[in-house]
Amino acid sequence: MLSSTDHDKLQQIMQEHPETEELFNRIFKSHQMDISTISHEIRNPLTLVYSTLQLIESQHPEVLEFAHWSELHQDIEYMKLLLEDLSSYNNGERLDLAPLSTGSFFRRIALSFASSIIDTDIEFTSYIPEDLPVLSADSVKLRQALLNLLRNAADAVRTESPSQDQHDMPAHSPQISLSITADADLLHIEISDNGCGIAPEDQEHIFEPFITHKVDGTGLGLAITRRIIQAHHGTITLRSARYAGTVFILTLPIEKNS
């Protein structure tokens, strides 16, 4: 699997040697088709297995009391999630671009996320100006990328640090914020939380596939987000300290009217 450094080096090679770009593109497309085919072929029988389990439960409710039955369900659900995330990662660079009114787009995302945490004690704030520019973007994939980050933030503020007294941490309420600004060339997006933070030794690899510190995570969420943002010719970076929260900083280029 390519690391972020490998990816950047490959992009540089393709820029310096245009004659190799077509060959690399053919290799990438073939690789993507292979992954899509494998994911599709596994997902279909897995869905049938899951449906069969549900049928067994409806006809024989006593199986719910069997040892390891719930673990079987959890394993199948995890496999389904992994296949979905793998497909999303594989297709992250395939964009369906269209003009996007960013103001209303980000307000819908803020409303959707706020609705998802309404029954929690998380305080969510957003700053979305009225006069944001129109972007050329894939709204479905961009929405996926941003909600990935917001959901990660929600997980982070719910994660308790080991012994607050040991780290001399004051108690605080969980907080997440979304801030959108724009200048002449770039749209700036910041998603911040005051959660558990990311250890310095983990930050270098945080965007690589299959890197996760969640018990039930696939390790593809941030990799998918990075791939989507880079496909839009944008950037994504972070600032974080253990037990002091995290800020993800995204930029997206604003196309000038000719």
Side-chain angles (χ1 to χ4, degrees):
M1 188 70 67
L2 290 176
S3 67
S4 58
T5 302
D6 294 333
H7 183 275
D8 292 341
K9 288 180 179 178
L10 189 54
Q11 290 295 326
Q12 183 179 354
I13 291 172
M14 291 172 65
Q15 291 173 4
E16 293 176 352
H17 304 280
E19 69 276 4
T20 66
E21 185 171 359
E22 183 179 352
L23 174 60
F24 277 126
N25 284 335
R26 288 203 302 268
I27 293 172
F28 290 154
K29 288 178 181 178
S30 175
H31 178 66
Q32 288 176 328
M33 289 180 64
D34 288 343
I35 293 178
S36 295
T37 301
I38 293 170
S39 177
H40 178 76
E41 291 302 321
I42 295 175
R43 191 182 306 166
N44 283 347
L46 190 63
T47 300
L48 291 175
V49 170
Y50 192 75
S51 299
T52 301
L53 287 180
Q54 292 179 315
L55 179 61
I56 292 172
E57 286 181 0
S58 66
Q59 296 179 348
H60 304 279
E62 65 273 13
V63 300
L64 295 172
E65 305 300 324
F66 287 4
H68 310 301
W69 186 263
S70 62
E71 287 86 349
L72 177 61
H73 260 285
Q74 292 170 8
D75 288 343
I76 292 177
E77 289 170 359
Y78 174 79
M79 290 173 65
K80 289 174 62 180
L81 177 61
L82 179 59
L83 290 170
E84 290 169 3
D85 281 357
L86 185 61
S87 178
S88 293
Y89 178 74
N90 184 52
N91 295 310
E93 294 178 337
R94 299 178 182 177
L95 302 182
D96 184 11
L97 297 175
L100 178 64
S101 176
T102 53
S104 58
F105 171 75
F106 286 114
R107 278 187 281 275
R108 286 195 299 271
I109 287 180
L111 180 60
S112 175
F113 178 69
S115 299
S116 73
I117 58 171
I118 197 168
D119 294 326
T120 73
D121 61 347
I122 298 173
E123 178 185 344
F124 174 60
T125 58
S126 61
Y127 171 73
I128 305 171
E130 292 290 337
D131 56 345
L132 291 174
V134 173
L135 295 183
S136 177
D138 186 321
S139 61
V140 174
K141 287 197 166 91
L142 197 55
R143 173 185 172 87
Q144 178 186 12
L146 296 173
L147 286 177
N148 276 348
L149 294 176
L150 288 167
R151 289 166 185 152
N152 276 0
D155 290 338
V157 298
R158 293 190 188 105
T159 301
E160 296 181 359
S161 62
S163 174
Q164 287 188 340
D165 291 336
Q166 177 182 346
H167 296 282
D168 194 26
M169 290 179 57
H172 57 257
S173 60
Q175 298 176 354
I176 298 172
S177 68
L178 168 67
S179 175
I180 315 295
T181 56
D183 56 32
D185 301 307
L186 296 171
L187 185 76
H188 302 270
I189 307 163
E190 288 198 5
I191 295 175
S192 63
D193 67 70
N194 65 344
C196 60
I198 302 169
E201 61 270 20
D202 296 329
Q203 293 180 26
E204 181 181 356
H205 306 288
I206 199 71
F207 294 109
E208 294 177 13
F210 305 111
I211 301 295
T212 184
H213 300 284
K214 297 180 184 179
V215 175
D216 57 349
T218 64
L220 286 169
L222 287 177
I224 291 168
T225 296
R226 182 178 187 268
R227 178 166 278 203
I228 290 172
I229 297 303
Q230 288 186 334
H232 284 85
H233 305 290
T235 65
I236 177 169
T237 57
L238 68 91
R239 298 193 307 267
S240 185
R242 198 67 183 266
Y243 314 122
T246 300
V247 182
F248 282 95
I249 306 103
L250 292 73
T251 66
L252 294 170
I254 298 172
E255 294 184 0
K256 297 293 190 298
N257 293 326
S258 54

